[in-house]
């Protein structure tokens, strides 16, 4: 069977996406040969809270990628998944990505679980209020200090930092979807980062078909029902087209 055959037979498809689905939109990956963490050391949340120097380092790293995230547009793979959702061929989309491109592509908000948060908003670590990123980034560029909320709390993008636990409610949603899925598809992830990588694994261990598409090896390759190295921007539109017939 090919991808379309598997997809046609499924009724509740869980799709799990990683950085590889967004490289076609100009968003760099994190752990590949040219990944971000080959060039930058991550700032841990405790250091962010305790040190202004660490907060400046964090905001400087975020500023470096801000324009790219702000201007990035969904690619053919994102758009194909949105099309599949509208066809009833995608039940839940769990993503490690923080670029918001699944939302921009038109996938329904209620079907997306952003496990690692999002760059789409800036949040206050004290009161939880959120706002558009433009103002805080302009302030940081002007002052070279961590922007503050009117309540006095530190501001940062609503992404999960190193050393910060994933929100329990999001994990529960993701694992709940894995428990009822009758097929799981991992797209563009090395499947090395936990606990996120355990989401598709939860479904696969129930014995449902597990399809993996990634241009390099993944930690789950031996568990895959079907593995492909195809370009997602080519493969997913073709699958969507096949499902529409």
């Amino acid at each position: 069977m090919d991808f379309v055959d598997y997809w046609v037979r499924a009724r509740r498809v869980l799709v799990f996406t990683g950085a590889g689905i967004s490289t076609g939109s100009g968003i760099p990956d994190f752990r590949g040969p040219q990944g971000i963490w080959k060039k930058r050391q991550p700032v841990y949340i405790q250091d962010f809270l305790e040190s202004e120097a660490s907060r400046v380092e964090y905001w400087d790293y975020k500023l470096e990628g801000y324009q790219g995230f702000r201007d990035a547009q969904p690619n053919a793979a994102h758009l194909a998944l949105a099309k599949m959702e509208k066809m009833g061929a995608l039940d839940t989309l769990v993503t490690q990505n923080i670029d918001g491109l699944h939302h921009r592509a038109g996938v329904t908000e209620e079907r997306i679980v952003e496990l690692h948060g999002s760059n789409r908003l800036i949040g206050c670590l004290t009161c939880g209020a959120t706002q558009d990123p433009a103002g805080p980034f302009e302030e940081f560029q002007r002052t070279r200090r961590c922007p503050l909320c009117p309540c006095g709390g530190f501001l940062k993008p609503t992404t999960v930092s190193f050393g910060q636990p994933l929100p329990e409610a999001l994990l529960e949603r993701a694992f709940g979807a894995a428990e009822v899925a009758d097929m799981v598809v991992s797209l563009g992830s090395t499947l090395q980062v936990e606990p996120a990588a355990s989401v598709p694994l939860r479904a696969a261990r129930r014995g449902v078909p597990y399809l993996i598409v990634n241009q390099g090896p993944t930690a789950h390759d031996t568990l895959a029902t079907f593995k492909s190295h195809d370009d997602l921007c080519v493969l997913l539109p073709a699958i969507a087209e096949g499902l529409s017939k």
Side-chain angles (χ1 to χ4, degrees), residues 51-113:
S51 163
E52 177 65 14
S54 293
R55 291 191 286 274
V56 170
E57 182 180 350
Y58 174 88
W59 271 92
D60 192 54
Y61 145 63
K62 284 293 187 180
L63 178 62
E64 186 177 288
Y66 170 59
Q67 185 173 345
F69 277 104
R70 183 195 64 193
D71 297 342
Q73 296 299 314
N75 61 48
H78 298 110
L79 296 172
L81 289 176
K83 180 178 179 180
M84 290 180 202
E85 189 234 329
K86 289 174 175 57
M87 295 163 53
L90 190 162
D91 185 71
T92 304
L93 197 163
V94 178
T95 185
Q96 297 172 282
N97 297 343
I98 58 176
D99 51 45
L101 291 177
H102 290 303
H103 291 84
R104 291 189 188 182
V107 178
T108 306
E109 179 90 27
E110 291 73 22
R111 294 197 183 274
I112 303 175
V113 183

Side-chain angles (χ1 to χ4, degrees), residues 202-240:
R202 176 77 62 90
R205 283 178 171 163
R206 292 176 38 244
V208 305
Y210 188 8
L211 282 55
I212 296 176
V213 186
N214 195 59
Q215 294 198 346
T218 81
H220 295 178
D221 283 353
T222 58
L223 302 171
T225 309
F226 193 95
K227 170 71 188 291
S228 169
H229 299 279
D230 289 343
D231 184 337
L232 289 169
C233 288
V234 176
L235 177 65
L236 289 181
I239 294 173

